[in-house]
Amino acid sequence: MFPYKDENPTLSTPVVTIFLIGVNIAVWVLIQGMGADPALARSVCELGLIPGEFLGTLPAGTTLPMGRGIGCVLTGERAWITPLSSMFLHGGWFHLIGNMWFLWVFGNNVEDSMGRGRFLAFYVLCGFAAAAVQTFLNPASPIPMVGASGAISGVMGAYVLLYPRVQIRVLVVLIIFFTRIRLPAFVMLGLWFGMQLLGGAAAAGSETGGVAFGAHVGGFIAGAILIPLFQNPGLVAQHRALARTM
């Protein structure tokens, strides 16, 4: 399932959502070389969150293979910036585009519910929570964690509590069969969350790269917990009143 639009109008221009998308794209182009090595490998090695390095459970000198003829050598120094920097890195074009699309579909309405400054703080805190859960689940992992999906999962966790019955337009792909359907947000996001739980259970103990299911689950739960603290009741009421007129 791929959500491509929600039937949920906004009160104002989602400045922070647009800003975050712009920063992610700028990092991809200027720092990660649009996915070309050695820029991609270097950025993931130096700015990605490696749980075993961050917690000091991997010895200095450990070499992580990053591609053909490219390795990442751990120095033993803890890079405290990586929980923040890693949420603006991506591993490929589809990774970037998928994350930015989800952020656009769900982020603008969540930003509308709390205001710009609060939304930026909320987004970063959800990203930190996602990184913490993934690190806790794999404390000795040598696999770098990159991507905005943990923070965006927090946005989705907030969205499902704020607007559970808003209709989400979804593209459904079954091998060669394509169709478009409408689902309430609580159904679409509930299914998505269930898939993350199942994926995480299936990947438990794996030492190969892939989807950071723990980060998705942690971010989603963090967003659901934090939204009562960050939402502006007046803005939420205005937003819902606008939706009823559409």
Side-chain angles (χ1 to χ4, degrees), residues 76-156:
E77 298 179 4
R78 299 184 185 182
W80 298 107
I81 192 65
T82 56
L84 177 64
S85 59
S86 63
M87 69 177 81
F88 294 96
L89 301 175
H90 289 86
W93 279 103
F94 286 112
H95 190 200
L96 172 71
I97 293 170
N99 276 347
M100 295 305 99
W101 190 260
F102 270 69
L103 178 56
W104 175 251
V105 170
F106 299 107
N108 54 1
N109 296 112
V110 176
E111 181 178 342
D112 239 10
S113 76
M114 60 181 70
R116 293 164 182 166
R118 287 186 182 185
F119 179 65
L120 181 59
F122 172 85
Y123 181 90
V124 172
L125 284 175
C126 288
F128 284 157
V133 171
Q134 185 68 25
T135 300
F136 174 78
L137 292 175
N138 299 278
S141 174
I143 303 171
M145 183 174 68
V146 298
S149 54
I152 298 168
S153 297
V155 172
M156 294 160 67

Side-chain angles (χ1 to χ4, degrees), residues 218-237:
F220 191 93
I221 293 174
I225 291 173
L226 291 173
I227 189 57
L229 303 176
F230 279 83
Q231 68 177 337
N232 182 317
L235 291 176
V236 173

Side-chain angles (χ1 to χ4, degrees), residues 18-65:
I18 294 170
F19 168 76
L20 289 169
I21 292 172
V23 171
N24 277 275
I25 293 173
V27 169
W28 176 249
V29 173
L30 301 177
I31 296 178
Q32 297 196 272
M34 294 188 288
D37 283 326
L40 177 63
R42 182 185 300 113
S43 66
V44 171
C45 175
E46 296 177 356
L47 299 173
L49 174 58
I50 302 173
E53 179 183 48
F54 188 78
L55 296 177
T57 55
L58 288 175
T62 299
T63 301
L64 315 177

